[in-house]
């Protein structure tokens, strides 16, 4: 049998996760929150209380009516539920009232997914409407083509955007992406969608000025639709299974195209083995955006200050050896390229110049680093030099944005790797 | 007569879901208890203390402890297989 020990603030996550996995009867022993910051002596006191709870849970009688054992089954025909809402005074208001009650929305008004709108969306794929594209953690419910189309309507997507979303859902469900942790962490982890290839132009996606800001329908609604899927299918509702301490604005929408026309190097999807004529979606477990305003004209100087920005002690990158990202503006990319520095060489330089001494970390983070990276680096002491990623190639570089000397550092969640999937247009 | 509009629920399609039954034991005496240490700060100390208390106060025969490399990754399958194969009770952790 199993027992889970949860700090009190995480009991809702424990209960919801157990229920999602078909084990709602999982016994949970509770320790006070916050647990990680209490003294060694306080842990001893908590252990005494906790051992009593464990014994009670392990030997407690089983209540009548417990279900028999079994595994989750495939969805029944994969068809989503239809509802009738009053058309008067207007269906929009009635549906949005329902969406608030059911927590289907990100907090902003949503578009009612009428049968007509969903059918129009589905016309943009040849895949069967009940095909399961992925199971989305932490609820592990099935994201079918139909449910993806419904949430795309909800977010306000045009029907032509559906293939991009199908690829994005496939990508976030890849094991390396670690959606389970991204969805349930206290970190401000959002999914940054990067679109490459001809489809970004066809859909009018913004790769230029304000590409991470508001104002372009495709960027805003595609990013929003993925977030709604992560809530409504993945089950990551804030306060329940989404345990983010603050979250971040990127959880409303976080989507841009790469500015391939102004990228002096190969675009991201080509770097990852796709043809330039393919369209592809890359998803990144991103923790936020840090603007780097520098008027540096010298490439060496520019790389030095970019690397200095990436290096900071309370960083998941250094604890785990992760995958940090730079969103370079075209002007900075040109300065570096004009100095004869390739994208691969830029990664090597950033990796080398962002190294950090382990001893600058807080003691507890130093211990986490030892636990996480000893197998990679060997014994870690205060004078061990930590790299931001395990290998230089793991630093992500994308070129986007408009005029101006601003690049963006985008730290990642830590134990996650970005995933690229080809967009299959109908 | 009030007209109605048909809309879809954005939630996942219905699942044929079966619940796993909770197991129980009569006593912890002479049991083997496994811990998966989630690598969060202080959980290693809690596991250490619980292991001692389980043995001294409740007569647990053996405690097996396996530690994850980091909290944000799954436990190794080898740990899960090992503990599932030899433990009467397995205890995991969640939270900060």
């Amino acid at each position: 049998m199993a027992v889970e020990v949860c700090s009190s603030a995480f009991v809702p996550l424990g209960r919801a996760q157990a229920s999602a996995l078909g084990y709602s009867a999982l016994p949970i022993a509770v320790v006070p929150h916050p647990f990680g910051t209490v003294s060694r002596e306080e842990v001893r006191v908590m252990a005494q209380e906790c051992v009593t709870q464990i014994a009670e849970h392990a030997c407690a009688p089983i209540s009548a009516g417990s279900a028999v054992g079994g595994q989750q089954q495939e969805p029944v025909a994969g068809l989503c539920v239809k509802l009738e809402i009053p058309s008067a005074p207007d269906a929009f208001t009635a549906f949005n009232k329902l969406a608030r009650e059911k927590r289907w929305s990100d907090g902003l008004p949503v578009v009612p997914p009428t049968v007509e709108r969903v059918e129009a969306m589905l016309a943009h794929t040849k895949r069967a409407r009940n095909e399961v594209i992925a199971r989305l953690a932490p609820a592990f419910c099935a994201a079918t083509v139909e449910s993806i189309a419904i949430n795309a309507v909800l977010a306000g997507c045009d029907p032509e955007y559906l293939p991009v979303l199908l690829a994005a859902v496939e990508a976030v469900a890849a094991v390396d992406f670690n959606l389970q942790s991204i969805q349930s962490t206290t970190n401000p982890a959002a999914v940054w969608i990067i679109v490459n290839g001809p489809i970004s132009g066809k859909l009018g996606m913004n790769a230029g000025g304000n590409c991470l800001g508001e104002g372009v329908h495709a960027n805003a609604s595609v990013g929003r639709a993925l977030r709604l899927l992560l809530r409504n299918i993945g089950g990551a509702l804030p306060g329940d299974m989404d345990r983010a301490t603050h979250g971040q604005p990127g959880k409303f929408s976080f989507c841009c195209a790469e500015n391939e026309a102004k990228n002096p190097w190969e675009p991201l999807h080509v770097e990852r083995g796709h043809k330039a004529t393919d369209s592809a979606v890359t998803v990144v477990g991103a923790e936020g955006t840090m603007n780097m305003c520098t008027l540096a004209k010298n490439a060496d100087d520019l790389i030095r200050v970019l690397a200095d920005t990436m290096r900071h002690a309370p960083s998941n990158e250094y604890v785990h050896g992760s995958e940090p990202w730079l969103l370079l503006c075209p002007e900075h990319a040109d300065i570096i390229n004009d100095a004869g520095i390739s994208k691969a060489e830029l990664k090597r330089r950033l990796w080398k110049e962002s190294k950090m001494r382990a001893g600058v970390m807080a003691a507890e983070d130093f211990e986490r680093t030892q636990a996480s990276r000893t197998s990679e680096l060997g014994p870690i002491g205060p004078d061990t030099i930590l790299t931001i990623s395990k290998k230089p190639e793991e630093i992500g570089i994308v070129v986007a944005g408009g005029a101006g000397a601003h690049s963006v550092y985008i730290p990642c969640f830590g134990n996650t790797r970005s995933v690229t999937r080809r967009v299959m247009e109908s | 007569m009030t007209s109605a509009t048909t809309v879809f629920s954005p939630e996942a399609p219905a699942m044929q879901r079966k619940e796993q039954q909770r197991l129980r034991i009569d006593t912890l005496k002479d049991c083997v208890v496994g811990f998966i240490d989630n690598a969060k700060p202080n959980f290693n100390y809690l596991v250490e203390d619980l292991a001692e208390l389980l043995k001294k106060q409740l007569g647990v025969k053996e405690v097996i402890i396996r530690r994850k490399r980091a909290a944000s990754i799954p436990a190794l399958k080898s740990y899960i297989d090992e503990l599932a194969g030899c433990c009467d009770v397995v205890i995991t952790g969640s939270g900060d």
Side-chain angles (χ1 to χ4, degrees):
Chain A
M1 72 166 298
V3 176
E4 184 170 11
V5 177
C6 278
S7 64
S8 51
F10 283 75
V11 171
L13 172 62
R15 293 248 176 263
Q17 179 88 80
S19 175
L21 295 172
Y23 192 23
S24 53
L26 174 70
I28 296 178
V30 182
V31 294
H33 186 91
F35 172 75
T37 53
V38 301
S39 69
R40 181 72 187 87
E41 188 50 41
E42 287 172 300
V43 173
R44 284 197 182 89
V45 174
M46 290 179 188
Q48 184 59 63
E49 164 61 21
C50 190
V51 79
T52 306
Q53 292 183 52
I54 289 170
E56 287 172 358
H57 284 311
C59 305
I62 295 171
S63 58
S66 291
V68 297
Q71 298 295 314
Q72 288 186 33
Q73 305 296 305
E74 288 300 305
V76 184
L79 296 179
C80 294
V81 172
K82 288 180 185 171
L83 310 161
E84 299 284 320
I85 57 169
S87 300
D90 68 278
F92 178 87
T93 302
F95 183 79
N96 273 276
K97 182 171 182 289
L98 182 64
R100 280 198 199 184
E101 290 168 4
K102 298 281 190 182
R103 302 185 72 190
W104 290 339
S105 165
D106 51 13
L108 297 171
V110 287
V111 176
T114 59
V115 173
E116 296 75 17
R117 289 180 179 130
V118 172
E119 294 306 322
M121 188 72 67
L122 287 168
H124 285 267
T125 181
K126 291 176 180 166
R127 302 174 82 157
R129 67 190 302 152
N130 63 347
E131 180 186 346
V132 177
I133 300 300
R135 288 182 181 277
L136 298 180
F140 294 101
C141 289
T144 59
V145 171
E146 183 185 59
S147 66
I148 294 168
I150 293 165
N151 280 277
V153 171
L154 202 67
C157 288
D158 285 352
E160 293 80 6
Y161 305 168
L162 182 63
V164 172
L165 266 177
L166 294 174
V169 170
E170 279 185 8
V172 296
V175 172
D176 287 349
F177 190 68
N178 196 7
L179 185 63
Q180 165 72 37
S181 286
I182 284 175
Q183 291 263 72
S184 56
T185 182
T186 51
N187 283 259
V191 181
W192 174 28
I193 302 173
I194 306 159
V195 181
N196 277 100
I199 200 163
S200 66
K202 280 187 205 170
L203 301 184
M205 299 199 93
N206 186 8
N210 207 40
C211 64
L212 289 181
E214 86 296 357
V216 173
H217 188 255
N219 295 43
S221 61
V222 166
R224 186 187 191 201
L226 184 60
R227 170 53 48 191
L228 293 177
L229 282 157
L230 294 174
R231 290 173 61 94
N232 294 329
I233 309 296
L237 296 179
D240 292 340
M241 288 202 273
D242 179 342
R243 304 303 307 173
T245 303
H246 302 103
Q248 59 153 304
K251 290 178 86 167
F252 281 96
S253 181
F254 199 166
C255 175
C256 70
E258 185 164 34
N259 196 336
E260 295 177 26
K262 295 196 173 178
N263 182 350
W265 304 299
E266 73 276 21
L268 178 64
H269 68 311
V270 174
E271 184 186 344
R272 296 187 164 200
H274 295 276
K275 296 177 193 166
T277 51
D278 289 342
S279 293
V281 167
T282 300
V283 293
V284 176
E287 295 232 312
T289 58
M290 164 71 80
N291 183 50
M292 298 179 289
C293 174
T294 170
L295 302 181
K297 292 179 180 174
N298 176 282
D300 292 338
D301 220 18
L302 176 55
I303 292 169
R304 178 179 61 78
V305 296
L306 297 181
D308 281 350
T309 306
M310 295 162 76
R311 180 177 53 242
H312 60 287
S315 155
N316 284 325
E317 267 76 11
Y318 291 92
V319 171
H320 300 296
S322 303
E323 190 189 58
W325 284 76
L326 287 186
L327 182 59
L328 290 180
C329 65
E331 292 174 24
H332 284 165
D334 282 343
I335 290 169
I336 295 167
N337 182 63
D338 290 347
I341 298 170
S342 66
K343 193 199 277 191
E345 177 59 15
L346 172 60
K347 292 182 180 194
R348 281 192 289 274
R349 292 275 300 273
L350 290 167
W351 191 74
K352 186 177 171 188
E353 296 187 32
S354 62
K355 287 180 181 178
M356 185 179 79
R357 188 176 158 271
V360 304
M361 290 176 153
E364 290 74 15
D365 301 324
F366 176 74
E367 287 174 11
R368 288 196 299 141
T369 306
Q370 288 179 311
S372 186
R373 300 190 74 177
T374 296
S375 60
E376 171 202 350
L377 301 173
I380 296 172
D383 291 325
T384 300
I385 300 300
L386 301 174
T387 55
I388 196 164
S389 56
K390 291 184 173 67
K391 296 178 288 187
E393 307 87 76
E394 290 179 320
I395 296 175
I397 305 281
V398 172
V399 177
H406 300 266
S407 289
V408 185
Y409 174 47
I410 301 183
C412 84
F413 165 63
N415 279 311
T416 178
R417 290 296 178 271
S418 60
V419 175
T420 300
R421 288 287 182 271
R422 187 177 167 198
V423 177
M424 306 302 286
E425 294 180 71
S426 57
Chain B
M1 179 179 165
T2 305
S3 62
T5 300
T6 304
V7 294
F8 284 98
S9 161
E11 294 176 341
M15 308 273 284
Q16 285 180 335
R17 190 192 296 272
K18 288 184 179 175
E19 281 279 305
Q20 292 183 59
Q21 188 177 35
R22 186 171 77 79
L23 303 174
R24 69 176 298 278
I25 53 177
D26 292 329
T27 175
L28 282 163
K29 190 170 185 309
D30 294 328
C31 283
V32 177
V33 174
F35 280 97
I36 296 178
D37 178 348
N38 64 5
K40 286 276 189 179
N42 274 341
F43 198 70
N44 57 327
Y45 296 133
L46 183 68
V47 167
E48 197 178 286
D49 294 345
L50 288 173
E52 189 181 329
L53 293 169
L54 285 165
K55 286 181 185 172
K56 279 188 180 170
Q57 296 183 3
L58 298 168
V60 163
K61 183 172 72 181
E62 185 183 357
V63 174
I64 302 170
I65 301 169
R66 296 290 177 263
R67 189 168 207 235
K68 297 202 300 181
R69 178 175 64 78
S72 55
I73 55 172
L76 293 175
K77 185 172 184 304
S78 60
Y79 291 177
I80 295 169
D81 291 344
E82 177 195 8
L83 296 181
C86 67
C87 293
D88 300 289
V89 179
V90 176
I91 300 171
T92 63
S94 173
D96 284 327

